[in-house]
Amino acid sequence: MERLRVIKNERRQLRGAGGEGRRELHREKPSVLRMVRALVWYALRVPPRELRLDLTLSNGQCFGWQRSPSDESTWIGVVGPRVVALRQTEEDCLFRCLGTARTAAPVRADDAEALVRAELSDLFQLDRFIAPMREEWSASDPRMQSVCAALSGMRILRQDPVECLFSFICSSNNNIGRITGMLQAIRRTYGERIPLSEPAVDGLRLSQDDFFAFPTAAALAAASETELRDLGLGYRAPYVLKTAETLVQRGDGWLGALRTARDPAYVRSELCGLMGVGPKVADCVALFSLDQADAIPVDTHVWTIACREYDSSLRSCASLTPEVYGRVGALFRSRYGSHAGWAHSVLFAAELPQFSRFLPVELQDELKRNAAAEREQKKRDREEAGRRRIAKAEAKAAKQAEAQAAAEQATAQEVAGGEREGDEPPALRRTRGSKRQPVADLGVRTPVGKTNALSRRRAARTGHAKDGGDGSVSSAACSEEEAGLTTVVASRHRAK
């Protein structure tokens, strides 16, 4: 601390010196400015009630920030082409730039602080104040008042749309650890490495190979599916590849232009046209990067909140169909207005175990009771679903058995009917009135050595078949007209 105080004094001297005096100080102590820039933290000028890093960077909306193991108040991540360190204090949020990509636009040293401050203000949307939102939400939902008070300072980020889109494509059916690993592998393979100007932050050693800018859509489109699968993306590999190709085809500005749309349903439909993007992923991208503050990503957790707090009739819905998805989103928007997505995220975070310690004891107990009741309900639902499956299988088996018995009975009646009539076997009755007639009706005689198989099968069923001696087959069950016609044809053949 003493060293930092001395450096700050030197910095004040440099600022207060005139032109010639400042140049003299630069000549005498050329390392002072470098030391100041390396060690000083800049104030973001936002109080904890408006921004809490621990609540904002770990609630599942982003996956690229690392918490310092030696100081839990310090976070390190990549913002655009820069590696940035953030620190939470009791009065403010501090920041410093640790490195910049070589391809980034050059910036004067005196302008670097203002540039990084502007980038962070945009990322955290510091132009939107949370306090008025909390008052509006609490007026429509008393329970929300205690949740907001406990999780004050949780904000929605305004991330880069390309990075946010591919992050949430990788998030489907996944957990935070694996998502983070996938995205780091993508950055390391296709992104630009950002060299660090500082090897350590407050005792935390940093590697020069740990920080990369997120790749462009063009860089991902040039990848192969095999490469992406080797990075651990699995079935998501073709989704990433095809979506990257689509973004390249539509141009650099297409995705970012969705920020100007004022209808979250329209933004969702546009995003759902991309491979690997469903309604939930689309609403996450819309809320966390495309300025759609009333977008509501709905999953089973959010559906559970809606069932418990707003509309118990949703429990009768068997699955999260598009209609049910829309109903849940409409419930949140009707209660929380234009920033319903922000309110939804606060309620969602309150249900997460890592944030329960911030909640009042009575609210923790309530959430535990709710969780226990939901587990019991899920158990009953599973048992009921099992009973329905068994009943359905039994009904299907009974129906099949009934159909088989009916078929056997019909066959028995058909055979019995043929025996009673005697002169007209069932096979001949089935062909009556059809265009296809028995062989005898057509006056066709089977050549020697090539007995008609159809006639032989008829004879076998009736037991009345006998050989005509010359290879022809006659049946005693045929009508007199058929027998006579067969005899005439046979006589003509012998006469030849």
Side-chain angles (χ1 to χ4, degrees):
M1 292 300 296
E2 183 62 29
R3 184 185 180 194
L4 182 58
R5 190 177 297 111
V6 171
I7 292 174
K8 287 182 177 179
N9 289 335
E10 295 284 359
R11 189 182 187 205
R12 281 194 292 270
Q13 291 178 20
L14 288 174
R15 281 181 172 176
E20 187 60 34
R22 183 174 298 183
R23 282 191 294 273
E24 181 64 26
L25 283 171
H26 275 264
R27 283 193 297 270
E28 291 180 357
K29 299 181 179 180
S31 63
V32 170
L33 283 179
R34 288 195 299 272
M35 293 173 67
V36 168
R37 292 183 185 120
L39 296 175
V40 71
W41 289 84
Y42 300 99
L44 196 54
R45 304 186 189 116
V46 53
R49 66 177 181 275
E50 286 290 331
L51 173 60
R52 283 270 302 277
L53 297 177
D54 54 347
L55 300 180
T56 300
L57 299 179
S58 62
N59 65 356
Q61 62 177 320
C62 61
F63 309 98
W65 289 87
Q66 306 173 29
R67 196 170 196 168
S68 170
S70 60
D71 181 3
E72 290 192 350
S73 65
T74 301
W75 297 75
I76 302 173
V78 176
V79 180
R82 272 168 271 281
V83 179
V84 177
L86 301 173
R87 171 177 288 175
Q88 187 77 60
T89 69
E90 294 181 357
E91 298 84 18
D92 205 340
C93 177
L94 309 179
F95 70 91
R96 58 199 275 195
C97 181
L98 306 180
T100 302
R102 291 188 174 90
T103 58
V107 180
R108 292 176 51 205
D110 293 341
D111 298 332
E113 175 189 346
L115 177 62
V116 177
R117 185 192 306 280
E119 291 174 344
L120 291 174
S121 296
D122 181 68
L123 174 66
F124 290 111
Q125 304 193 71
L126 297 183
D127 57 333
R128 305 192 187 197
F129 296 100
I130 299 179
M133 299 182 200
R134 288 200 301 263
E135 293 177 3
E136 180 183 355
W137 301 337
S138 300
S140 60
D141 185 356
R143 182 175 177 273
M144 187 69 160
Q145 185 173 4
S146 59
V147 174
C148 286
L151 302 181
S152 176
M154 179 179 291
R155 303 186 71 87
I156 296 299
L157 299 177
R158 190 177 192 253
Q159 302 175 60
D160 172 70
V162 172
E163 180 175 358
C164 188
L165 172 61
F166 289 107
S167 296
F168 280 96
I169 288 177
C170 292
S171 74
S172 60
N173 298 318
N174 217 340
N175 57 60
I176 299 294
R178 290 194 68 233
I179 298 167
T180 302
M182 287 180 185
L183 296 176
Q184 180 63 8
I186 289 175
R187 291 189 187 95
R188 187 183 298 275
T189 306
Y190 304 107
E192 179 186 2
R193 187 177 69 85
I194 303 177
L196 299 178
S197 57
E198 302 180 42
V201 175
D202 297 343
L204 174 64
R205 300 293 299 179
L206 302 176
S207 170
Q208 290 286 349
D209 296 325
D210 279 350
F211 298 96
F212 297 80
F214 197 84
T216 62
L220 290 175
S224 70
E225 182 177 333
T226 301
E227 291 174 352
L228 293 172
R229 287 185 180 274
D230 290 343
L231 296 180
L233 270 67
Y235 71 88
R236 306 166 190 85
Y239 299 165
V240 170
L241 184 60
K242 184 61 177 177
T243 295
E245 293 172 351
T246 302
L247 293 182
V248 171
Q249 293 170 1
R250 295 184 180 183
D252 294 337
W254 175 79
L255 187 59
L258 294 177
R259 283 178 166 173
T260 62
R262 296 275 66 89
D263 182 7
Y266 168 76
V267 176
R268 185 193 310 131
S269 66
E270 288 291 292
L271 292 174
C272 284
L274 301 172
M275 190 173 184
V277 178
K280 182 198 170 184
V281 169
D283 280 333
C284 285
V285 177
L287 177 61
F288 303 139
S289 70
L290 296 178
D291 297 342
Q292 304 302 311
D294 57 348
I296 308 294
V298 180
D299 58 8
T300 54
H301 299 288
V302 177
W303 175 78
T304 299
I305 294 173
C307 290
R308 186 183 67 229
E309 304 294 338
Y310 309 135
D311 186 357
S312 60
S313 68
L314 286 169
R315 290 195 182 278
S316 62
C317 301
S319 61
L320 198 58
T321 63
E323 180 183 357
V324 175
Y325 190 101
R327 282 179 60 189
V328 173
L331 285 170
F332 278 90
R333 281 186 285 272
S334 65
R335 279 178 172 264
Y336 302 118
S338 60
H339 285 75
W342 290 52
H344 141 279
S345 296
V346 173
L347 289 171
F348 175 81
E351 306 276 332
L352 300 178
Q354 65 263 35
F355 296 131
S356 62
R357 59 191 176 92
F358 297 112
L359 304 177
V361 175
E362 59 273 13
L363 189 54
Q364 291 184 38
D365 293 339
E366 178 186 340
L367 291 175
K368 289 178 182 177
R369 290 193 298 270
N370 291 338
E374 287 160 10
R375 286 194 296 270
E376 286 297 319
Q377 183 63 44
K378 287 180 180 179
K379 181 180 178 181
R380 289 192 294 269
D381 291 343
R382 286 194 298 269
E383 292 173 349
E384 179 61 27
R387 287 191 291 269
R388 285 197 299 268
R389 284 194 299 271
I390 293 173
K392 185 177 180 180
E394 291 175 346
K396 182 177 180 180
K399 187 175 181 179
Q400 290 175 344
E402 182 180 352
Q404 183 177 358
E408 292 174 354
Q409 183 179 2
T411 302
Q413 291 175 351
E414 188 177 20
V415 172
E419 292 176 351
R420 286 194 301 272
E421 294 178 13
D423 59 343
E424 188 176 357
L428 188 58
R429 289 199 305 275
R430 283 196 297 269
T431 61
R432 187 178 298 281
S434 67
K435 292 183 179 180
R436 185 174 181 179
Q437 300 294 331
V439 175
D441 290 350
L442 300 176
V444 178
R445 178 183 167 280
T446 304
V448 177
K450 296 182 180 180
T451 305
N452 188 295
L454 178 60
S455 300
R456 188 177 293 277
R457 285 197 298 271
R458 271 193 215 133
R461 281 196 298 269
T462 59
H464 297 111
K466 55 184 178 180
D467 195 343
D470 56 358
S472 64
V473 178
S474 62
S475 174
C478 296
S479 63
E480 292 182 2
E481 179 181 354
E482 292 171 339
L485 184 58
T486 305
T487 303
V488 171
V489 174
S491 299
R492 289 177 180 174
H493 180 73
R494 283 194 295 272
K496 291 181 180 180

mmCIF file with all atom_site columns, all heavy atoms in Angstrom, residues 361-378:
data_model
loop_
_atom_site.group_PDB
_atom_site.id
_atom_site.type_symbol
_atom_site.label_atom_id
_atom_site.label_alt_id
_atom_site.label_comp_id
_atom_site.label_asym_id
_atom_site.label_entity_id
_atom_site.label_seq_id
_atom_site.pdbx_PDB_ins_code
_atom_site.Cartn_x
_atom_site.Cartn_y
_atom_site.Cartn_z
_atom_site.occupancy
_atom_site.B_iso_or_equiv
_atom_site.pdbx_formal_charge
_atom_site.auth_seq_id
_atom_site.auth_comp_id
_atom_site.auth_asym_id
_atom_site.auth_atom_id
_atom_site.pdbx_PDB_model_num
ATOM 1   N N   . VAL A 1 361 ? -33.810 -15.364 6.135   1.00 0.00 ? 361 VAL A N   1
ATOM 2   C CA  . VAL A 1 361 ? -34.001 -16.731 6.623   1.00 0.00 ? 361 VAL A CA  1
ATOM 3   C C   . VAL A 1 361 ? -35.408 -17.231 6.316   1.00 0.00 ? 361 VAL A C   1
ATOM 4   O O   . VAL A 1 361 ? -35.596 -18.379 5.882   1.00 0.00 ? 361 VAL A O   1
ATOM 5   C CB  . VAL A 1 361 ? -33.725 -16.800 8.139   1.00 0.00 ? 361 VAL A CB  1
ATOM 6   C CG1 . VAL A 1 361 ? -34.044 -18.193 8.679   1.00 0.00 ? 361 VAL A CG1 1
ATOM 7   C CG2 . VAL A 1 361 ? -32.280 -16.427 8.435   1.00 0.00 ? 361 VAL A CG2 1
ATOM 8   N N   . GLU A 1 362 ? -36.413 -16.369 6.512   1.00 0.00 ? 362 GLU A N   1
ATOM 9   C CA  . GLU A 1 362 ? -37.787 -16.826 6.262   1.00 0.00 ? 362 GLU A CA  1
ATOM 10  C C   . GLU A 1 362 ? -38.007 -17.148 4.787   1.00 0.00 ? 362 GLU A C   1
ATOM 11  O O   . GLU A 1 362 ? -38.739 -18.087 4.447   1.00 0.00 ? 362 GLU A O   1
ATOM 12  C CB  . GLU A 1 362 ? -38.794 -15.762 6.724   1.00 0.00 ? 362 GLU A CB  1
ATOM 13  C CG  . GLU A 1 362 ? -38.653 -14.389 6.062   1.00 0.00 ? 362 GLU A CG  1
ATOM 14  C CD  . GLU A 1 362 ? -37.664 -13.488 6.762   1.00 0.00 ? 362 GLU A CD  1
ATOM 15  O OE1 . GLU A 1 362 ? -36.911 -14.005 7.610   1.00 0.00 ? 362 GLU A OE1 1
ATOM 16  O OE2 . GLU A 1 362 ? -37.666 -12.282 6.466   1.00 0.00 ? 362 GLU A OE2 1
ATOM 17  N N   . LEU A 1 363 ? -37.339 -16.396 3.897   1.00 0.00 ? 363 LEU A N   1
ATOM 18  C CA  . LEU A 1 363 ? -37.466 -16.686 2.468   1.00 0.00 ? 363 LEU A CA  1
ATOM 19  C C   . LEU A 1 363 ? -36.708 -17.963 2.106   1.00 0.00 ? 363 LEU A C   1
ATOM 20  O O   . LEU A 1 363 ? -37.175 -18.748 1.270   1.00 0.00 ? 363 LEU A O   1
ATOM 21  C CB  . LEU A 1 363 ? -36.937 -15.504 1.645   1.00 0.00 ? 363 LEU A CB  1
ATOM 22  C CG  . LEU A 1 363 ? -37.185 -15.553 0.132   1.00 0.00 ? 363 LEU A CG  1
ATOM 23  C CD1 . LEU A 1 363 ? -38.656 -15.766 -0.180  1.00 0.00 ? 363 LEU A CD1 1
ATOM 24  C CD2 . LEU A 1 363 ? -36.690 -14.267 -0.520  1.00 0.00 ? 363 LEU A CD2 1
ATOM 25  N N   . GLN A 1 364 ? -35.586 -18.198 2.752   1.00 0.00 ? 364 GLN A N   1
ATOM 26  C CA  . GLN A 1 364 ? -34.867 -19.455 2.535   1.00 0.00 ? 364 GLN A CA  1
ATOM 27  C C   . GLN A 1 364 ? -35.734 -20.641 2.942   1.00 0.00 ? 364 GLN A C   1
ATOM 28  O O   . GLN A 1 364 ? -35.813 -21.650 2.228   1.00 0.00 ? 364 GLN A O   1
ATOM 29  C CB  . GLN A 1 364 ? -33.567 -19.463 3.341   1.00 0.00 ? 364 GLN A CB  1
ATOM 30  C CG  . GLN A 1 364 ? -32.522 -18.488 2.856   1.00 0.00 ? 364 GLN A CG  1
ATOM 31  C CD  . GLN A 1 364 ? -31.223 -18.624 3.638   1.00 0.00 ? 364 GLN A CD  1
ATOM 32  O OE1 . GLN A 1 364 ? -30.795 -19.725 3.998   1.00 0.00 ? 364 GLN A OE1 1
ATOM 33  N NE2 . GLN A 1 364 ? -30.582 -17.496 3.923   1.00 0.00 ? 364 GLN A NE2 1
ATOM 34  N N   . ASP A 1 365 ? -36.382 -20.524 4.102   1.00 0.00 ? 365 ASP A N   1
ATOM 35  C CA  . ASP A 1 365 ? -37.252 -21.613 4.565   1.00 0.00 ? 365 ASP A CA  1
ATOM 36  C C   . ASP A 1 365 ? -38.415 -21.832 3.598   1.00 0.00 ? 365 ASP A C   1
ATOM 37  O O   . ASP A 1 365 ? -38.797 -22.975 3.310   1.00 0.00 ? 365 ASP A O   1
ATOM 38  C CB  . ASP A 1 365 ? -37.785 -21.291 5.959   1.00 0.00 ? 365 ASP A CB  1
ATOM 39  C CG  . ASP A 1 365 ? -36.678 -21.284 7.010   1.00 0.00 ? 365 ASP A CG  1
ATOM 40  O OD1 . ASP A 1 365 ? -35.623 -21.891 6.755   1.00 0.00 ? 365 ASP A OD1 1
ATOM 41  O OD2 . ASP A 1 365 ? -36.877 -20.662 8.076   1.00 0.00 ? 365 ASP A OD2 1
ATOM 42  N N   . GLU A 1 366 ? -38.981 -20.734 3.092   1.00 0.00 ? 366 GLU A N   1
ATOM 43  C CA  . GLU A 1 366 ? -40.079 -20.858 2.146   1.00 0.00 ? 366 GLU A CA  1
ATOM 44  C C   . GLU A 1 366 ? -39.637 -21.574 0.871   1.00 0.00 ? 366 GLU A C   1
ATOM 45  O O   . GLU A 1 366 ? -40.341 -22.460 0.361   1.00 0.00 ? 366 GLU A O   1
ATOM 46  C CB  . GLU A 1 366 ? -40.611 -19.466 1.797   1.00 0.00 ? 366 GLU A CB  1
ATOM 47  C CG  . GLU A 1 366 ? -41.743 -19.486 0.758   1.00 0.00 ? 366 GLU A CG  1
ATOM 48  C CD  . GLU A 1 366 ? -42.135 -18.093 0.323   1.00 0.00 ? 366 GLU A CD  1
ATOM 49  O OE1 . GLU A 1 366 ? -41.833 -17.128 1.042   1.00 0.00 ? 366 GLU A OE1 1
ATOM 50  O OE2 . GLU A 1 366 ? -42.750 -17.975 -0.759  1.00 0.00 ? 366 GLU A OE2 1
ATOM 51  N N   . LEU A 1 367 ? -38.462 -21.211 0.378   1.00 0.00 ? 367 LEU A N   1
ATOM 52  C CA  . LEU A 1 367 ? -37.953 -21.857 -0.839  1.00 0.00 ? 367 LEU A CA  1
ATOM 53  C C   . LEU A 1 367 ? -37.648 -23.332 -0.599  1.00 0.00 ? 367 LEU A C   1
ATOM 54  O O   . LEU A 1 367 ? -37.862 -24.168 -1.484  1.00 0.00 ? 367 LEU A O   1
ATOM 55  C CB  . LEU A 1 367 ? -36.703 -21.132 -1.325  1.00 0.00 ? 367 LEU A CB  1
ATOM 56  C CG  . LEU A 1 367 ? -36.926 -19.716 -1.880  1.00 0.00 ? 367 LEU A CG  1
ATOM 57  C CD1 . LEU A 1 367 ? -35.596 -19.058 -2.217  1.00 0.00 ? 367 LEU A CD1 1
ATOM 58  C CD2 . LEU A 1 367 ? -37.831 -19.759 -3.116  1.00 0.00 ? 367 LEU A CD2 1
ATOM 59  N N   . LYS A 1 368 ? -37.157 -23.655 0.591   1.00 0.00 ? 368 LYS A N   1
ATOM 60  C CA  . LYS A 1 368 ? -36.911 -25.074 0.912   1.00 0.00 ? 368 LYS A CA  1
ATOM 61  C C   . LYS A 1 368 ? -38.217 -25.850 0.930   1.00 0.00 ? 368 LYS A C   1
ATOM 62  O O   . LYS A 1 368 ? -38.297 -26.982 0.415   1.00 0.00 ? 368 LYS A O   1
ATOM 63  C CB  . LYS A 1 368 ? -36.202 -25.186 2.259   1.00 0.00 ? 368 LYS A CB  1
ATOM 64  C CG  . LYS A 1 368 ? -34.756 -24.726 2.241   1.00 0.00 ? 368 LYS A CG  1
ATOM 65  C CD  . LYS A 1 368 ? -34.139 -24.822 3.617   1.00 0.00 ? 368 LYS A CD  1
ATOM 66  C CE  . LYS A 1 368 ? -32.705 -24.320 3.622   1.00 0.00 ? 368 LYS A CE  1
ATOM 67  N NZ  . LYS A 1 368 ? -32.101 -24.350 4.980   1.00 0.00 ? 368 LYS A NZ  1
ATOM 68  N N   . ARG A 1 369 ? -39.264 -25.261 1.533   1.00 0.00 ? 369 ARG A N   1
ATOM 69  C CA  . ARG A 1 369 ? -40.564 -25.939 1.544   1.00 0.00 ? 369 ARG A CA  1
ATOM 70  C C   . ARG A 1 369 ? -41.098 -26.100 0.116   1.00 0.00 ? 369 ARG A C   1
ATOM 71  O O   . ARG A 1 369 ? -41.645 -27.156 -0.237  1.00 0.00 ? 369 ARG A O   1
ATOM 72  C CB  . ARG A 1 369 ? -41.560 -25.149 2.401   1.00 0.00 ? 369 ARG A CB  1
ATOM 73  C CG  . ARG A 1 369 ? -41.271 -25.185 3.891   1.00 0.00 ? 369 ARG A CG  1
ATOM 74  C CD  . ARG A 1 369 ? -42.460 -24.648 4.692   1.00 0.00 ? 369 ARG A CD  1
ATOM 75  N NE  . ARG A 1 369 ? -42.738 -23.250 4.356   1.00 0.00 ? 369 ARG A NE  1
ATOM 76  C CZ  . ARG A 1 369 ? -42.191 -22.212 4.977   1.00 0.00 ? 369 ARG A CZ  1
ATOM 77  N NH1 . ARG A 1 369 ? -41.318 -22.407 5.951   1.00 0.00 ? 369 ARG A NH1 1
ATOM 78  N NH2 . ARG A 1 369 ? -42.512 -20.975 4.641   1.00 0.00 ? 369 ARG A NH2 1
ATOM 79  N N   . ASN A 1 370 ? -40.941 -25.052 -0.671  1.00 0.00 ? 370 ASN A N   1
ATOM 80  C CA  . ASN A 1 370 ? -41.396 -25.136 -2.065  1.00 0.00 ? 370 ASN A CA  1
ATOM 81  C C   . ASN A 1 370 ? -40.649 -26.231 -2.823  1.00 0.00 ? 370 ASN A C   1
ATOM 82  O O   . ASN A 1 370 ? -41.249 -26.986 -3.596  1.00 0.00 ? 370 ASN A O   1
ATOM 83  C CB  . ASN A 1 370 ? -41.191 -23.792 -2.764  1.00 0.00 ? 370 ASN A CB  1
ATOM 84  C CG  . ASN A 1 370 ? -42.125 -22.714 -2.244  1.00 0.00 ? 370 ASN A CG  1
ATOM 85  O OD1 . ASN A 1 370 ? -43.171 -23.004 -1.678  1.00 0.00 ? 370 ASN A OD1 1
ATOM 86  N ND2 . ASN A 1 370 ? -41.744 -21.467 -2.426  1.00 0.00 ? 370 ASN A ND2 1
ATOM 87  N N   . ALA A 1 371 ? -39.337 -26.292 -2.603  1.00 0.00 ? 371 ALA A N   1
ATOM 88  C CA  . ALA A 1 371 ? -38.539 -27.304 -3.285  1.00 0.00 ? 371 ALA A CA  1
ATOM 89  C C   . ALA A 1 371 ? -38.966 -28.708 -2.881  1.00 0.00 ? 371 ALA A C   1
ATOM 90  O O   . ALA A 1 371 ? -39.080 -29.612 -3.726  1.00 0.00 ? 371 ALA A O   1
ATOM 91  C CB  . ALA A 1 371 ? -37.060 -27.089 -2.999  1.00 0.00 ? 371 ALA A CB  1
ATOM 92  N N   . ALA A 1 372 ? -39.232 -28.900 -1.574  1.00 0.00 ? 372 ALA A N   1
ATOM 93  C CA  . ALA A 1 372 ? -39.679 -30.220 -1.102  1.00 0.00 ? 372 ALA A CA  1
ATOM 94  C C   . ALA A 1 372 ? -41.034 -30.572 -1.696  1.00 0.00 ? 372 ALA A C   1
ATOM 95  O O   . ALA A 1 372 ? -41.264 -31.720 -2.129  1.00 0.00 ? 372 ALA A O   1
ATOM 96  C CB  . ALA A 1 372 ? -39.736 -30.232 0.421   1.00 0.00 ? 372 ALA A CB  1
ATOM 97  N N   . ALA A 1 373 ? -41.955 -29.595 -1.723  1.00 0.00 ? 373 ALA A N   1
ATOM 98  C CA  . ALA A 1 373 ? -43.279 -29.848 -2.298  1.00 0.00 ? 373 ALA A CA  1
ATOM 99  C C   . ALA A 1 373 ? -43.186 -30.172 -3.789  1.00 0.00 ? 373 ALA A C   1
ATOM 100 O O   . ALA A 1 373 ? -43.907 -31.043 -4.298  1.00 0.00 ? 373 ALA A O   1
ATOM 101 C CB  . ALA A 1 373 ? -44.174 -28.628 -2.078  1.00 0.00 ? 373 ALA A CB  1
ATOM 102 N N   . GLU A 1 374 ? -42.277 -29.484 -4.484  1.00 0.00 ? 374 GLU A N   1
ATOM 103 C CA  . GLU A 1 374 ? -42.117 -29.742 -5.919  1.00 0.00 ? 374 GLU A CA  1
ATOM 104 C C   . GLU A 1 374 ? -41.528 -31.124 -6.175  1.00 0.00 ? 374 GLU A C   1
ATOM 105 O O   . GLU A 1 374 ? -41.911 -31.804 -7.133  1.00 0.00 ? 374 GLU A O   1
ATOM 106 C CB  . GLU A 1 374 ? -41.248 -28.656 -6.545  1.00 0.00 ? 374 GLU A CB  1
ATOM 107 C CG  . GLU A 1 374 ? -41.972 -27.318 -6.674  1.00 0.00 ? 374 GLU A CG  1
ATOM 108 C CD  . GLU A 1 374 ? -41.027 -26.149 -6.831  1.00 0.00 ? 374 GLU A CD  1
ATOM 109 O OE1 . GLU A 1 374 ? -39.806 -26.400 -7.034  1.00 0.00 ? 374 GLU A OE1 1
ATOM 110 O OE2 . GLU A 1 374 ? -41.478 -24.996 -6.763  1.00 0.00 ? 374 GLU A OE2 1
ATOM 111 N N   . ARG A 1 375 ? -40.612 -31.557 -5.306  1.00 0.00 ? 375 ARG A N   1
ATOM 112 C CA  . ARG A 1 375 ? -40.070 -32.913 -5.451  1.00 0.00 ? 375 ARG A CA  1
ATOM 113 C C   . ARG A 1 375 ? -41.155 -33.952 -5.253  1.00 0.00 ? 375 ARG A C   1
ATOM 114 O O   . ARG A 1 375 ? -41.230 -34.947 -5.998  1.00 0.00 ? 375 ARG A O   1
ATOM 115 C CB  . ARG A 1 375 ? -38.920 -33.123 -4.453  1.00 0.00 ? 375 ARG A CB  1
ATOM 116 C CG  . ARG A 1 375 ? -37.634 -32.415 -4.834  1.00 0.00 ? 375 ARG A CG  1
ATOM 117 C CD  . ARG A 1 375 ? -36.475 -32.940 -4.001  1.00 0.00 ? 375 ARG A CD  1
ATOM 118 N NE  . ARG A 1 375 ? -36.655 -32.653 -2.584  1.00 0.00 ? 375 ARG A NE  1
ATOM 119 C CZ  . ARG A 1 375 ? -36.215 -31.549 -1.985  1.00 0.00 ? 375 ARG A CZ  1
ATOM 120 N NH1 . ARG A 1 375 ? -35.577 -30.626 -2.689  1.00 0.00 ? 375 ARG A NH1 1
ATOM 121 N NH2 . ARG A 1 375 ? -36.394 -31.370 -0.686  1.00 0.00 ? 375 ARG A NH2 1
ATOM 122 N N   . GLU A 1 376 ? -42.007 -33.738 -4.250  1.00 0.00 ? 376 GLU A N   1
ATOM 123 C CA  . GLU A 1 376 ? -43.103 -34.671 -4.022  1.00 0.00 ? 376 GLU A CA  1
ATOM 124 C C   . GLU A 1 376 ? -44.073 -34.670 -5.211  1.00 0.00 ? 376 GLU A C   1
ATOM 125 O O   . GLU A 1 376 ? -44.560 -35.723 -5.629  1.00 0.00 ? 376 GLU A O   1
ATOM 126 C CB  . GLU A 1 376 ? -43.844 -34.303 -2.740  1.00 0.00 ? 376 GLU A CB  1
ATOM 127 C CG  . GLU A 1 376 ? -43.090 -34.641 -1.474  1.00 0.00 ? 376 GLU A CG  1
ATOM 128 C CD  . GLU A 1 376 ? -42.855 -36.144 -1.343  1.00 0.00 ? 376 GLU A CD  1
ATOM 129 O OE1 . GLU A 1 376 ? -43.778 -36.926 -1.662  1.00 0.00 ? 376 GLU A OE1 1
ATOM 130 O OE2 . GLU A 1 376 ? -41.749 -36.522 -0.935  1.00 0.00 ? 376 GLU A OE2 1
ATOM 131 N N   . GLN A 1 377 ? -44.345 -33.484 -5.737  1.00 0.00 ? 377 GLN A N   1
ATOM 132 C CA  . GLN A 1 377 ? -45.239 -33.390 -6.878  1.00 0.00 ? 377 GLN A CA  1
ATOM 133 C C   . GLN A 1 377 ? -44.653 -34.102 -8.091  1.00 0.00 ? 377 GLN A C   1
ATOM 134 O O   . GLN A 1 377 ? -45.362 -34.819 -8.815  1.00 0.00 ? 377 GLN A O   1
ATOM 135 C CB  . GLN A 1 377 ? -45.513 -31.918 -7.207  1.00 0.00 ? 377 GLN A CB  1
ATOM 136 C CG  . GLN A 1 377 ? -46.506 -31.705 -8.349  1.00 0.00 ? 377 GLN A CG  1
ATOM 137 C CD  . GLN A 1 377 ? -47.877 -32.240 -8.020  1.00 0.00 ? 377 GLN A CD  1
ATOM 138 O OE1 . GLN A 1 377 ? -48.385 -32.048 -6.915  1.00 0.00 ? 377 GLN A OE1 1
ATOM 139 N NE2 . GLN A 1 377 ? -48.481 -32.943 -8.968  1.00 0.00 ? 377 GLN A NE2 1
ATOM 140 N N   . LYS A 1 378 ? -43.367 -33.929 -8.309  1.00 0.00 ? 378 LYS A N   1
ATOM 141 C CA  . LYS A 1 378 ? -42.718 -34.615 -9.435  1.00 0.00 ? 378 LYS A CA  1
ATOM 142 C C   . LYS A 1 378 ? -42.762 -36.127 -9.246  1.00 0.00 ? 378 LYS A C   1
ATOM 143 O O   . LYS A 1 378 ? -42.963 -36.870 -10.212 1.00 0.00 ? 378 LYS A O   1
ATOM 144 C CB  . LYS A 1 378 ? -41.269 -34.135 -9.573  1.00 0.00 ? 378 LYS A CB  1
ATOM 145 C CG  . LYS A 1 378 ? -41.130 -32.727 -10.117 1.00 0.00 ? 378 LYS A CG  1
ATOM 146 C CD  . LYS A 1 378 ? -39.668 -32.325 -10.225 1.00 0.00 ? 378 LYS A CD  1
ATOM 147 C CE  . LYS A 1 378 ? -39.528 -30.909 -10.771 1.00 0.00 ? 378 LYS A CE  1
ATOM 148 N NZ  . LYS A 1 378 ? -38.106 -30.486 -10.863 1.00 0.00 ? 378 LYS A NZ  1
#
